[in-house]
Amino acid sequence: MAIRRGRGVAAINYPTGMNLGGDPTQALVHSTPTGNFMVTLSSVDLGQGMKQIMAQICAETIGVPTDRVVVDTADTDTGPHCMGTFASRGTHRAGNAVIQAAREARQVMLEVAAEELEVNASDLETDGQGNILVKGAPQRSISIFDVALSAHFKRGRSISGRGMFLIPRSYPEKETGAMKPSTCYAHACTVAEVEVDDETGEVTVLTVKNVFEIGRALNPKMVEQQLVGGSWMGISHALYETTEPYYPDRDHGGTDFNQYLMPGPGDLAQTEIIVLERPSADGPFGAKGPGEMCANPQIPAVANAVFDAVGVRIDTLPITPERILRALKAQASN
C-alpha cells in the first residue's frame, strides 16, 4: 500500500453562445441631462461581472470615464430583448449590442457638440475624460455635461442609441447534419497533479495549471478571479459534488447543504492561471466567453491523473474513494 502520484492533461474548446434563431440580444443607451449614460439590458449579472464589463464597453465606445456609465439589468418586461445569461454568451452578445447602441448615442452627442462649437461632427473627438475636442485644436472644446444640457434643454435632441447583435443563423446540411453552432470558440488546457492513497482511495490534488485562450481579457483582474474560481469548481465537480451517490437510487442522498460535500480551503490545490489573448473577429473588442469553460478541463485532467497514478479509469463523477477502491479491487481480480 502506498501514496501514488499521477499527472493528467486535458484540453477543450468551448463555443461562445449558440446558434438558435440567431441568438439575439438588444441594448439601449441614453444620456441623462447631466451627461451620464444609462445602459439598459435584460441580460442578468449572475455575479460574473457583466455590469462592470458592459459599463467599460459603453464608456470605451462613447469616450467617457467608466464611472459615468450606469448599467440597468431590469427585467424582461421593461428591458430590451435578450435570450438570457447562459452558454457563456453574456459579454459577447450583450457587449456587441452595447457597442452598437453606444455608437449611435455617441454620434448624436457629437452632432449636438458640433452645433455648439460650429464645426462638423466629423471634426470632433473625445478625450476619455468627459470632454469633446476639435481635432487639431484642443483648446476648442466643450464638456459632455454641457452637451447633454444643450441636447435636452436647447436642441431638443435625445442622446440615445439602440443596438442588437444577431449572428447569421446556421441551418443543418440535409446530407450530413453539419452546421456552425457558434461563430467563435474559447480554448483551455489543464495539467493536474494528484496523489492517490491506494489503500483508502483518497485523492489529493496537488497542483492545477491552467491555460485559457479567451479572445481578449477586457478586465484582466476579473478574468483572473473567474478563472481561478472556475478551476476550483472543476476540482469540486471532479472529486466531491453529487446529490445522489447511487443515482437513480436516492439512498444516502444529501438532504441539505450540511450534507452536500464540497472542498474547503484546505482542500484546494495550488492553482496557476495563464491567459492567452487571440481576439475574436466578431467579439466586442475581441472578447470571447470564458464563463462555463473555466470549470471544464479540470475534470478530465483529474480523471487522467488518477489513472496515471493507480491505473484505473473512473468514468463516473464524482471520483470518490469508494469508486477508486472498487476499480482497484476489480483490477486485482482480473
Side-chain angles (χ1 to χ4, degrees):
M1 303 299 179
I3 303 294
R4 303 185 183 276
R5 180 170 291 201
R7 180 178 294 164
V9 181
I12 66 167
N13 61 14
Y14 203 90
T16 297
M18 60 181 186
N19 196 331
L20 297 175
D23 199 16
T25 287
Q26 299 176 349
L28 301 174
V29 172
H30 73 272
S31 167
T32 68
T34 55
N36 292 322
F37 287 84
M38 175 71 70
V39 178
T40 305
L41 299 167
S42 290
S43 307
V44 178
D45 193 325
L46 303 175
Q48 78 277 37
M50 173 178 283
K51 285 188 174 183
Q52 174 64 28
I53 295 302
M54 294 305 112
Q56 289 181 214
I57 288 173
C58 179
E60 181 71 18
T61 304
I62 293 177
V64 296
T66 302
D67 60 11
R68 299 281 292 272
V69 179
V70 176
V71 178
D72 177 23
T73 55
D75 58 51
T76 53
D77 282 337
T78 60
H81 176 258
C82 175
M83 290 291 286
T85 301
F86 59 91
S88 302
R89 66 186 295 282
T91 294
H92 189 272
R93 302 301 198 258
N96 276 312
V98 168
I99 287 175
Q100 290 184 18
R103 284 174 176 167
E104 189 172 293
R106 173 185 167 89
Q107 182 58 35
V108 177
M109 179 184 73
L110 294 179
E111 289 172 1
V112 173
E115 294 180 22
E116 292 296 314
L117 294 172
E118 298 182 342
V119 296
N120 293 324
S122 59
D123 294 329
L124 298 176
E125 61 186 1
T126 54
D127 66 356
Q129 302 300 316
N131 301 293
I132 299 173
L133 319 174
V134 176
K135 296 176 183 177
Q139 69 276 9
R140 295 191 62 195
S141 66
I142 185 172
S143 70
I144 292 175
F145 176 91
D146 289 332
V147 171
L149 288 175
S150 174
H152 282 82
F153 298 108
K154 179 180 178 182
R155 305 290 179 179
R157 300 288 301 274
S158 173
I159 300 179
S160 59
R162 302 157 296 170
M164 179 169 181
F165 184 69
L166 183 70
I167 64 175
R169 186 171 180 180
S170 176
Y171 293 90
E173 297 176 2
K174 293 182 179 180
E175 296 78 11
T176 65
M179 65 174 294
K180 189 175 183 180
S182 183
T183 59
C184 67
Y185 293 80
H187 304 83
C189 182
T190 293
V191 179
E193 191 169 7
V194 306
E195 286 183 344
V196 182
D197 187 326
D198 63 7
E199 183 175 9
T200 66
E202 183 179 2
V203 178
T204 301
V205 183
L206 303 175
T207 64
V208 178
K209 297 178 172 63
N210 305 279
V211 179
F212 295 97
E213 186 278 298
I214 61 168
R216 186 177 181 189
L218 301 185
N219 188 309
K221 271 300 176 186
M222 290 179 66
V223 166
E224 180 185 1
Q225 292 168 357
Q226 188 167 17
L227 297 180
V228 170
S231 182
W232 293 347
M233 183 182 292
I235 295 172
S236 188
H237 290 329
L239 297 177
Y240 296 90
E241 295 189 53
T242 180
T243 56
E244 309 293 342
Y246 302 108
Y247 181 84
D249 183 352
R250 295 182 61 86
D251 289 347
H252 307 292
T255 58
D256 56 35
F257 280 108
N258 289 321
Q259 298 176 1
Y260 187 79
L261 192 61
M262 292 183 288
D267 302 309
L268 296 173
Q270 179 183 340
T271 303
E272 182 178 347
I273 301 293
I274 296 175
V275 175
L276 301 181
E277 294 185 300
R278 296 173 57 196
S280 168
D282 69 346
F285 300 105
K288 300 178 183 179
E292 294 162 303
M293 174 193 70
C294 60
N296 284 2
Q298 299 80 19
I299 300 170
V302 168
N304 288 337
V306 170
F307 177 76
D308 185 50
V310 293
V312 293
R313 177 67 68 186
I314 310 299
D315 57 7
T316 302
L317 296 177
I319 304 171
T320 60
E322 177 184 355
R323 288 185 171 129
I324 292 174
L325 292 178
R326 288 182 182 275
L328 288 172
K329 183 177 179 181
Q331 182 188 64
S333 64
N334 290 336

